[in-house]
Amino acid sequence: MAIVFDGTRESYVEGLSEFLGSGRNTLPEWVTDLRREAISGFGNTGFPMLSDEEWRFTNLDVLRRTSFSIVGNGISDVSEKTVDSYGFSGLSCVRLVFVNGRFASPPSDELRDEEGVIATSLSKAACEYSDLVRNHLARYADYEKDPFISLNTSYFEDGVFIYVPDGVVFEKPVHVLYISTDEGQPMFVNPRNLIVVGQSSGAKVVEHYVSTSQNVYFSNVVTEVVCGENANLEHYRLEFESQKAFNFSTLRVNQRKNSNIASHSVLCGGALVRNNIHPVLAGEGCNSDIYGLFMSEGRQHMDNFMRVEHASPHCDSRQFYNGVLDGRSKGVFHGRIMVHEGAEKTDAKQTNRNLLLSDMAQIDTKPQLEIYNDDVKCTHGATIGQMDEEALFYLCSRGIPMRKAKIIMLRAFTNETLENMSISSIRDALEDSVMQWFERRLENGSGR
Amino acid sequence: MSDFQKVAKVSDIAEGEVQSFFINAEAIAVCRVEGNFYAFKDECTHQSFTLSDGDLDGERIICCYHGAEFNVKTGEVLCLPAVEPLEVYPVRIDGDDILIKLD
Ligand code: FES
């Protein structure tokens, strides 16, 4: 039976008892306690309003007035062939598949190798490695104040659990594929991921969100990452969901001493998208690089919210976020660098560049610095513009046709972020899909 | 998205009333003025608040948040603080259905 939420705060709060009694809560009892605490957090906050400073460019009335349901058993008929079609050619990886928020055992390759690396579903891990999961789950993402984290913590059914023990560098990327199918009514799915990379370890994780049809649903993802001392993590978030989906996601990273993280986001699908990235550089000497590319068309709304917290001395952070907007789409970039009192010698830089392909596309960009220490170096900047006429003219004067010249310019713009990806097969596939996207826009007469 | 799509029923909206509907994530306000129906984006161009929360005065919609006013027929700004015109949509009536066209 479906559990239905009519959009009101009460329906989400009251729905929890039905959820807990429905047999969908396959996680241990301690998670049920967490769920109860989280839903009372949501009961206090409800969905954010435009009057909340962090949401001032994104109107969520649509969420308050649309019904969503938790439906299906998650093992919808997604064939192996469909799953394979979302792979990256030439990429040797460990693949885990989730359908409508639930683990699809075949065709997943679960991993428990002799070095102690684990890649499996969170629901299994919470039973099999209870202490490990319990030490980290919901310790970093604030489920009391952030309404989307509250909802996810209350209603998640599954997600990925990746653990790399101390001193192990796991070279093979873990490709986590989240597939949404059409269940005949708007679904509410809450993938919950936990990635723990131990001391002096390394991993590459690719979260990849796709839909098999253009249906309406509410996908609310939370990923918590713990990066141990001297650890390295490369994290990808590729969002290619239905153009009608509501997609909310949070990446919350906790970085320990001398750890490095590179986060790559590429957003292309969704009607209403909010992507939150929140690393906390908790130990000395950390490095955090955040790269993002969002491309919107039609009436898509893409809101990117970054909060980089420097909590310890001698840490560096870099944000490079580019947006390409067409049609009547709207983009938001809200980037905050926060430097805590003890975080001297912080070096932080934030850049947001936006390319508007149509007169009706709109971008609100709001870089912010909040600094409580005098001995820091912080810069930020944002630009909004069209394709550079002079550069196009120069290329055309060298015999390059206008269409090709535009493609060259767009490739240069998008590659500023994509070129930082170390997994070449993913980088190449994304470059191709960016180009296909742009060619379609050119065919529709865009790309002024 | 170039075709007319059903957004509401004629009987949903009384004379002088404005109501909000959704097509995907797009909030659409539909109002009835002297028997005619007008549709516009239900988002004030000042700070994106919901326009249908405000009052309709003839062909004028008044945003209740900071007082901007727009003509519901043309989208023209009639009063600050908004400066950008409102997006209005072509409307067609088919029996009891109100259809609008999003380009
Ligand atoms: S949001 Fe309408 S006047 Fe300010």
Side-chain angles (χ1 to χ4, degrees):
Chain A
M1 254 237 318
I3 304 168
V4 183
F5 307 92
D6 66 10
T8 58
R9 183 189 311 207
E10 296 69 36
S11 69
Y12 285 103
V13 173
E14 285 157 17
L16 185 65
S17 38
E18 201 180 333
F19 175 82
L20 294 176
S22 70
R24 287 175 174 277
N25 178 23
T26 54
L27 285 101
E29 193 55 29
W30 60 269
V31 179
T32 304
D33 297 339
L34 267 180
R35 296 188 195 282
R36 291 209 172 93
E37 283 174 45
I39 205 64
S40 77
F42 182 77
N44 295 333
T45 59
F47 287 119
M49 311 291 284
L50 278 171
S51 47
D52 295 323
E53 186 56 29
E54 296 184 351
W55 290 87
R56 60 175 290 206
F57 300 114
T58 299
N59 189 330
L60 294 179
D61 273 1
V62 64
L63 276 187
R64 276 185 279 272
R65 290 174 42 197
T66 306
S67 290
F68 295 99
S69 329
I70 295 181
V71 286
N73 61 9
I75 328 288
S76 291
D77 19 342
V78 176
S79 67
E80 187 134 3
K81 196 167 154 219
T82 307
V83 173
D84 289 345
S85 70
Y86 296 115
F88 297 97
S89 83
L91 179 68
S92 158
C93 62
V94 173
R95 180 179 68 182
L96 291 147
V97 182
F98 294 83
V99 180
N100 299 335
R102 303 183 94 190
F103 187 53
S105 199
S108 295
D109 327 310
E110 283 178 81
L111 177 82
R112 289 168 179 82
D113 77 2
E114 61 285 355
E115 288 188 300
V117 179
I118 303 165
T120 183
S121 85
L122 183 60
S123 62
K124 285 190 184 181
C127 302
E128 288 175 37
Y129 313 102
S130 179
D131 289 346
L132 191 52
V133 174
R134 202 170 178 169
N135 277 344
H136 297 291
L137 186 72
R139 296 277 163 149
Y140 312 100
D142 186 349
Y143 59 82
E144 281 172 350
K145 295 208 186 79
D146 183 310
F148 291 95
I149 298 174
S150 306
L151 280 182
N152 176 288
T153 308
S154 307
Y155 288 107
F156 76 89
E157 292 178 61
D158 218 337
V160 73
F161 174 71
I162 297 170
Y163 173 70
V164 184
D166 292 351
V168 176
V169 176
F170 191 66
E171 287 291 352
K172 240 186 195 183
V174 181
H175 180 201
V176 194
L177 186 61
Y178 304 84
I179 304 176
S180 295
T181 64
D182 189 357
E183 291 290 322
Q185 53 189 312
M187 277 184 307
F188 177 39
V189 285
N190 291 279
R192 179 67 174 236
N193 308 308
L194 179 61
I195 301 167
V196 181
V197 186
Q199 196 176 325
S200 307
S201 302
K204 294 176 183 175
V205 179
V206 184
E207 290 182 29
H208 187 187
Y209 297 85
V210 296
S211 320
T212 55
S213 65
Q214 290 297 316
N215 52 318
V216 179
Y217 57 89
F218 174 11
S219 155
N220 178 31
V221 183
V222 173
T223 301
E224 286 177 293
V225 172
V226 187
C227 223
E229 259 184 60
N230 297 311
N232 288 297
L233 175 72
E234 193 169 352
H235 180 270
Y236 294 69
R237 180 161 195 283
L238 314 178
E239 192 273 304
F240 287 84
E241 295 199 270
S242 152
Q243 295 278 340
K244 294 182 181 170
F246 303 124
N247 181 287
F248 292 75
S249 65
T250 301
L251 173 66
R252 174 68 173 82
V253 182
N254 191 278
Q255 285 190 251
R256 307 217 170 131
K257 202 170 164 190
N258 297 327
S259 62
N260 299 300
I261 178 158
S263 150
H264 306 275
S265 303
V266 177
L267 312 177
C268 194
L272 176 59
V273 178
R274 166 86 167 202
N275 181 30
N276 300 301
I277 298 185
H278 182 185
V280 177
L281 292 82
E284 222 171 298
C286 294
N287 188 61
S288 190
D289 293 334
I290 300 173
Y291 304 102
L293 172 66
F294 62 97
M295 296 177 301
S296 59
E297 58 180 300
R299 292 171 181 274
Q300 287 179 286
H301 180 107
M302 290 191 176
D303 182 343
N304 300 279
F305 189 92
M306 314 288 122
R307 180 189 293 145
V308 178
E309 262 187 74
H310 283 260
S312 280
H314 300 281
C315 294
D316 295 352
S317 69
R318 297 285 178 270
Q319 295 173 61
F320 294 101
Y321 230 87
N322 284 7
V324 185
L325 299 100
D326 195 15
R328 289 181 181 273
S329 65
K330 190 170 169 182
V332 180
F333 176 82
H334 190 133
R336 181 182 299 167
I337 299 171
M338 191 173 173
V339 182
H340 288 271
E341 218 175 304
E344 62 264 8
K345 306 286 181 205
T346 285
D347 183 352
K349 184 172 179 179
Q350 179 189 82
T351 311
N352 169 230
R353 305 201 326 127
N354 301 287
L355 182 62
L356 301 181
L357 300 179
S358 101
D359 289 337
M360 269 116 36
Q362 191 183 328
I363 173 86
D364 290 299
T365 175
K366 194 177 164 206
Q368 277 182 305
L369 300 175
E370 195 177 327
I371 300 173
Y372 299 98
N373 189 297
D374 294 333
D375 186 9
V376 302
K377 194 164 106 188
C378 292
T379 59
H380 64 176
T383 61
I384 301 169
Q386 294 86 38
M387 282 220 177
D388 184 341
E389 295 284 343
E390 273 185 41
L392 284 175
F393 176 78
Y394 175 81
L395 289 171
C396 291
S397 72
R398 292 289 178 275
I400 295 170
M402 182 54 105
R403 185 184 168 91
K404 184 105 192 271
K406 285 182 175 176
I407 291 173
I408 291 172
M409 297 277 289
L410 188 96
R411 186 181 282 265
F413 184 78
T414 53
N415 276 6
E416 282 176 8
T417 53
L418 298 182
E419 72 187 6
N420 298 294
M421 296 178 171
S422 78
I423 307 176
S424 56
S425 52
I426 294 185
R427 189 180 60 230
D428 295 346
L430 289 171
E431 278 184 25
D432 286 350
S433 45
V434 167
M435 285 308 119
Q436 284 162 15
W437 180 89
F438 188 52
E439 301 242 0
R440 279 199 308 275
R441 307 316 310 150
L442 286 174
E443 264 147 40
N444 289 347
S446 299
R448 61 176 188 179
Chain B
M1 269 229 211
S2 56
D3 291 334
F4 277 87
Q5 339 182 24
K6 181 178 167 183
V7 64
K9 287 187 161 203
V10 166
S11 48
D12 288 340
I13 305 158
E15 177 61 36
E17 225 185 45
V18 58
Q19 283 205 36
S20 187
F21 303 91
F22 286 98
I23 292 183
N24 301 329
E26 194 75 10
I28 317 278
V30 184
C31 64
R32 187 177 201 164
V33 181
E34 293 175 0
N36 297 315
F37 290 91
Y38 301 106
F40 52 91
K41 187 173 170 123
D42 195 8
E43 204 176 280
C44 180
T45 62
H46 175 230
Q47 280 187 354
S48 306
F49 282 89
T50 304
L51 259 180
S52 60
D53 290 348
D55 292 326
L56 187 68
D57 176 14
E59 284 181 3
R60 180 183 288 252
I61 180 93
I62 304 157
C63 179
C64 63
Y65 293 95
H66 316 100
E69 297 181 19
F70 304 89
N71 181 305
V72 295
K73 211 164 149 182
T74 61
E76 185 194 350
V77 180
L78 304 173
C79 179
L80 292 170
V83 286
E84 288 283 322
L86 186 62
E87 187 185 352
V88 294
Y89 311 110
V91 176
R92 189 193 280 170
I93 304 297
D94 181 10
D96 192 33
D97 292 339
I98 303 173
L99 313 175
I100 67 157
K101 189 177 176 189
L102 298 177
D103 56 14

